[in-house]
Amino acid sequence: MKDRIGRTIDYLRVSVTDRCDLRCVYCMPEEGIPPKCHEEILRFADIERICRQAALLGIRKIKITGGEPLVRRRVELLIRSLKAIPEIEQITMTTNGVLLADKLPALIDAGLDAVTVSLDTLDRERFRMLTRRDELENVKKSIQAVIEDGRLPLKINCVPMEDQDPEDLAAVAAYAKDHPVHVRFIEMMPIGLGKDCGFLSEEQLISRLEPFTGKLVPVDEQLGNGPAHYYRAEGYAGRIGFISAVSHKFCSGCNRVRLTADGFLKSCLQFETGEDLRPVLAAGSDEDLAEAIKKAILKKPEGHHFDNVDAAGAEHRIMSQIGG
Ligand code: SAM
Ligand code: SF4
């Protein structure tokens, strides 16, 4: 469906848990967050019910996210049931990759269409410092497993930081050199803990990468469901992408809404605007649910105000509770 300023909303990000097995410094505090109890977290049947109504309203693509989606037990069952919704064209997942190698056969069997692995550094010490866990080897193993299996299109997402060694950034980018994998660099957004982390803009990043990648040449290709734009590097099998919400604001083309693990349908990453679907799930009809989803979409703000992180109505959730 269209929102009130004519944007087509066809993409839903579904957070299946607010828990995570990492503690990335820009996303989650070291001590974690008080976990929601089981009754507060949507059951798979509720998520499916929401997705069915959302699909009737025009949602075509669903991203499974978290927290860390693979810590939710048997998430593949949800994927299988969402794949059975006739209007849904694609189910993808964003994961930190720690558990992915083990889960890969079940996810593929359930019908997952593509996966994105988040990987900020290939330096073991830095990984341990950034995520507060020593799991780099498992993430690398998972990436290798997806590449060797060859059935699931793979993207790698990296949130670079101001103090990061350019060689380390180039090492992450090099996944796109050796494999048909797209590596995307995401500008740190001033949401939750990201407000206090060293930001690196797309332009700064390009100037740090080019000594290693050679000239990055813009290409006019749509390689996903979102706002990334891509560059080609000589001799690279995949593309280098950038998701630059801060320096290249893309709200006018925003196509998405987000469902939190406890059932709030968020219209915009930066604002609290949206609808709590839990009361409708508990006591309403499918028509009521569709109305609530429509209401959330029609409330979608025109855009973020990352230049004013304390704007009225700014989100109080941290990123792990939203799902990115
Ligand atoms: N745990 C999964 C993962 O890490 O891919 C899914 C959830 S995580 C919140 C989704 C994405 O959001 C990750 O790629 C992460 O790097 C990114 N992210 C978290 N906080 C961010 C911030 N402040 N700015 C930009 N990206 C952020
Ligand atoms: Fe967990 Fe993903 Fe947040 Fe890192 S970015 S703490 S892996 S939810």
Side-chain angles (χ1 to χ4, degrees), residues 17-29 65-69 94-98 118 120 130-132 159 319-321 323-324:
T17 179
D18 57 352
R19 299 177 191 217
C20 187
D21 44 2
L22 299 183
R23 294 282 181 276
C24 302
V25 291
Y26 50 77
C27 183
M28 228 185 187
T65 177
E68 170 48 39
T94 292
T95 167
N96 62 30
V98 173
S118 300
D120 296 338
L130 285 180
T131 67
R132 301 178 177 116
V159 179
M319 205 61 129
S320 61
Q321 296 169 305

